[in-house]
Amino acid sequence: MKVSSVLLLALVAFVALFSVAEAVSADASHILVPDEATCAKLKTEIEGASDPFEKFTELAKEHSTCPSGKSGGSLGTFQPGQMVKEFNDVVFETGTVGKVEGPVKTQFGYHLIYITRRA
């Protein structure tokens, strides 16, 4: 019985890894700010909210310097390689769907990223 549990766990881990590595598109939102301290402060607010995605959307409208902020930070659907490397790596390789990620530093500033779908 113990071996079966280990094999099942290994299979689940493999499937999870495979689905991230083979993702061909994702939906995500982001908040772009000029400095890491602001980014970290906003992340704390989001993580402490009863509805983190709702709070993320609200704060994007208030604080994001990107035009997408007006729509709650939504970037819609995009494929690997369409965003700058640092952003792309979080969305398609290291980030978790449904969790706020960041701060992520790029040439544009500091991002908080909320991945809503990866397929």
Side-chain angles (χ1 to χ4, degrees):
M1 191 71 163
K2 193 172 187 175
V3 173
S4 300
S5 297
V6 171
L7 289 174
L8 181 59
L9 197 55
L11 179 61
V12 169
F14 175 78
V15 169
L17 180 62
F18 181 79
S19 68
V20 170
E22 296 298 318
V24 294
S25 69
D27 292 330
S29 297
H30 80 135
I31 299 172
L32 176 63
V33 294
D35 62 272
E36 189 172 10
T38 301
C39 203
K41 178 182 168 282
L42 295 175
K43 183 176 183 177
T44 300
E45 285 187 54
I46 293 162
E47 291 177 333
S50 59
D51 183 341
F53 186 68
E54 183 178 316
K55 188 66 168 179
F56 188 98
T57 301
E58 173 189 317
L59 292 176
K61 290 177 182 176
E62 292 175 25
H63 296 279
S64 187
T65 60
C66 181
S68 69
K70 293 176 185 171
S71 61
S74 177
L75 297 169
T77 301
F78 53 93
Q79 286 73 44
Q82 284 188 277
M83 303 295 177
V84 294
K85 181 179 180 356
E86 300 87 351
F87 196 100
N88 187 81
D89 288 352
V90 170
V91 173
F92 291 101
E93 295 178 22
T94 62
T96 301
V97 174
K99 180 179 177 271
V100 63
E101 301 286 350
V104 177
K105 186 179 193 279
T106 71
Q107 66 198 42
F108 303 105
Y110 291 85
H111 305 258
L112 291 178
I113 304 169
Y114 201 105
I115 307 163
T116 53
R117 183 192 65 83
R118 181 171 43 221

